[in-house]
Amino acid sequence: MGGRDVLHDLVVVGAGPAGLAAAVTAAGFGLRVAVLDTNARAGGQYHRHRAGRPPAWAPLARLHTVEHLAEHRVWAVERGDDHFTAHAVAGERDGVAVTVRGRRLLLATGAYDRQLPFPGWDLPGVFTAGGAQALLKGNGVAPGRRAVVAGTGPFLLPVAVGLADAGVRVLAVVEASRPTPRAAALAPHSPARVVEAAGYAAALARRRIPYRTGRAVIAAHGDGGALGSVTVARLDADWRVRPGTERELACDTLAVGYGFTPQLELAGQLGCASTPDGFVAVDTRQATDLPGLYAAGESTGIGGAQLSQVEGELAAYAVAGRTPPKALLRRRARLTRFAAGLRALYPIRSGWSSWSDEDTPICRCEEVPRGRIADAARHGADDVRSIKLLTRAGMGWCQGRMCAEATACVLSDVLGRPIAAPAPTRAIAVPIRLGDLAQGAS
């Protein structure tokens, strides 16, 4: 069994903007820090970069008190009397079990794309918006030649521009929401974000890429197992299709995303408190209700890279027992208000569930269609766990990350009352092999 006898002052899980900021700030205070991350290169999705290209921050290797453990998948965390233990598997194929201990633990696990199922969303050529961007940023690979970018939220803009810069013909950006003039009121809270969005909008205009609001891709079509076209339709205020507005666009790539879902499996293992809307609950120091446990970034509320970075810095100040600058606190307040404003501008409306039919796969891993989930609900299943036991929805590789929320929505439609997806409380947070698990227990 691999192991590390060092007791670090701080163990950080996740090397995105929040984790990086926390590690750098804590190292500046002389703390010994370990940073564990799944990826080969630090940066997370926002700072993702190709091998051989310089990162957008000072490399962690230059910080003598920071140990960067790349390609370490943390599958469990434990809380002891005076320290935390992170259990990880190092490497992809021939994994080695590793344990890392620290007096304090910071969860900076980020988020992943939220997907809303529709007919054909499982076709080759249909990507999450983040997946398409990861191919471009991390590998320099264009996912196709003719693309449509769809979903909701400002993240669609950099994805569309990135695809166009890579030589992909972007036919349209299809935005389900209808951002109102109230968006201008957000400018004082984060002028840099507004300028960034304006730059993307100008880039779309220069390339003559249409930006259509109040529309969605409601179906994808393909022959021979590959994407050939998508159906775009106008939506009403509840996101139901306006009859007669359907239009088919020929394309080989669809990048689709409806915001982000926080990655909470490790927080669920430790049992820390959550907010009513399903994020890790933290105080003004980024501390959870468990002593010594902190959280920062998207797991505490979807707010973007700048807010994540500020929260990571504040967590490091708390771990070091230092008083943070008032300017840093004010910046977090401004960015938090900006993030709340964006969520109000780009909500998910319940009418999206009307896009799917009985044959639409809701759980792709186990190939469970909407009709089977609806039948289980009509036969007495009244929560997501019961649906899982009766249909296997959520039992596959992703363990419900992609389908639990959609399953709850289908169940709500059948039962006529709101059903919430359960919070993740898995003993094993990420997929690992039985051999890795046995090695860690030896």
Side-chain angles (χ1 to χ4, degrees):
M1 171 181 171
R4 296 178 182 275
D5 295 329
V6 175
L7 181 62
H8 297 83
D9 297 307
L10 174 64
V11 172
V12 178
V13 180
L20 284 172
V24 171
T25 304
F29 294 134
L31 301 185
R32 181 181 291 273
V33 183
V35 181
L36 296 90
D37 190 69
T38 302
N39 298 306
R41 296 180 293 278
Q45 178 64 24
Y46 186 80
H47 291 305
R48 186 183 293 273
H49 62 289
R50 292 162 63 181
R53 295 194 173 182
W57 64 92
L60 294 179
R62 295 180 184 174
L63 303 174
H64 301 301
T65 63
V66 175
E67 184 179 15
H68 177 209
L69 302 176
E71 295 185 307
H72 278 61
R73 290 169 289 145
V74 179
W75 60 269
V77 288
E78 293 181 286
R79 179 170 173 248
D81 292 334
D82 59 355
H83 70 277
F84 291 84
T85 302
H87 297 277
V89 175
E92 285 295 324
R93 298 183 63 86
D94 300 319
V96 176
V98 173
T99 58
V100 181
R101 300 183 304 133
R103 295 184 178 87
R104 301 288 185 268
L105 175 67
L106 171 66
L107 298 178
T109 47
Y112 50 90
D113 293 77
R114 177 190 288 126
Q115 294 294 287
L116 306 182
F118 52 84
W121 76 302
D122 56 337
L123 281 170
V126 179
F127 297 81
T128 65
Q133 189 185 62
L135 279 175
L136 292 172
K137 281 187 170 183
N139 303 97
V141 174
R145 295 186 298 273
R146 292 168 55 88
V148 172
V149 178
T152 192
F155 182 57
L156 302 183
L157 300 178
V159 173
V161 172
L163 288 169
D165 287 344
V168 178
R169 182 184 174 190
V170 180
L171 303 177
V173 177
V174 181
E175 168 60 63
S177 299
R178 293 179 175 85
T180 67
R182 290 181 302 165
L186 297 178
H189 301 312
S190 184
R193 292 282 297 278
V194 174
V195 170
E196 181 183 18
Y200 288 130
L204 293 181
R206 286 195 304 271
R207 293 166 175 80
R208 297 184 179 179
I209 299 173
Y211 178 75
R212 308 298 189 199
T213 62
R215 294 171 173 82
V217 169
I218 61 169
H221 318 281
D223 294 324
L227 179 67
S229 64
V230 298
T231 297
V232 178
R234 291 179 181 269
L235 306 177
D236 64 17
D238 194 41
W239 285 16
R240 294 183 179 276
V241 174
R242 294 186 182 276
T245 64
E246 298 87 349
R247 176 192 174 199
E248 193 164 330
L249 291 176
C251 61
D252 60 13
T253 303
L254 171 63
V256 60
Y258 287 88
F260 300 93
T261 298
Q263 196 153 322
L264 303 175
E265 288 78 11
L266 297 179
Q269 285 182 2
L270 292 169
C272 59
S274 60
T275 64
D277 49 353
F279 296 98
V280 178
V282 294
D283 62 15
T284 57
R285 303 176 304 127
Q286 301 299 133
T288 72
D289 63 325
L290 300 181
L293 178 64
Y294 299 80
E298 310 290 47
S299 63
T300 66
I302 306 301
Q306 294 179 14
L307 178 57
S308 295
Q309 179 177 327
V310 170
E311 290 179 349
E313 291 181 42
L314 288 171
Y317 272 92
V319 170
R322 305 294 185 96
T323 300
K326 291 183 179 179
L328 194 61
L329 295 171
R330 289 194 297 267
R331 188 170 185 225
R332 179 179 59 184
R334 288 196 305 270
L335 291 171
T336 299
R337 289 193 292 269
F338 183 84
L342 281 183
R343 288 194 294 272
L345 286 173
Y346 299 98
I348 303 296
R349 303 296 187 186
S350 61
W352 73 264
S353 62
S354 65
W355 307 343
S356 58
D357 55 28
E358 294 292 288
D359 296 324
T360 301
I362 300 300
C363 172
R364 297 192 298 188
C365 298
E366 295 294 321
E367 299 181 348
V368 181
R370 179 187 176 111
R372 196 184 307 168
I373 293 173
D375 285 342
R378 286 189 284 265
H379 283 85
D382 60 357
D383 58 34
V384 173
R385 176 174 172 76
S386 298
I387 292 291
K388 180 177 181 179
L389 294 174
L390 290 173
T391 69
R392 295 191 60 82
M395 286 191 179
W397 182 261
C398 85
Q399 285 291 287
R401 290 178 179 86
M402 303 297 287
C403 66
E405 191 172 348
T407 299
C409 289
V410 173
L411 191 56
S412 298
D413 289 346
V414 176
L415 300 181
R417 56 185 174 84
I419 301 293
T425 54
R426 303 179 188 91
I428 300 176
V430 298
I432 60 173
R433 301 174 305 179
L434 287 175
D436 299 328
L437 184 61
Q439 185 185 166
S442 62

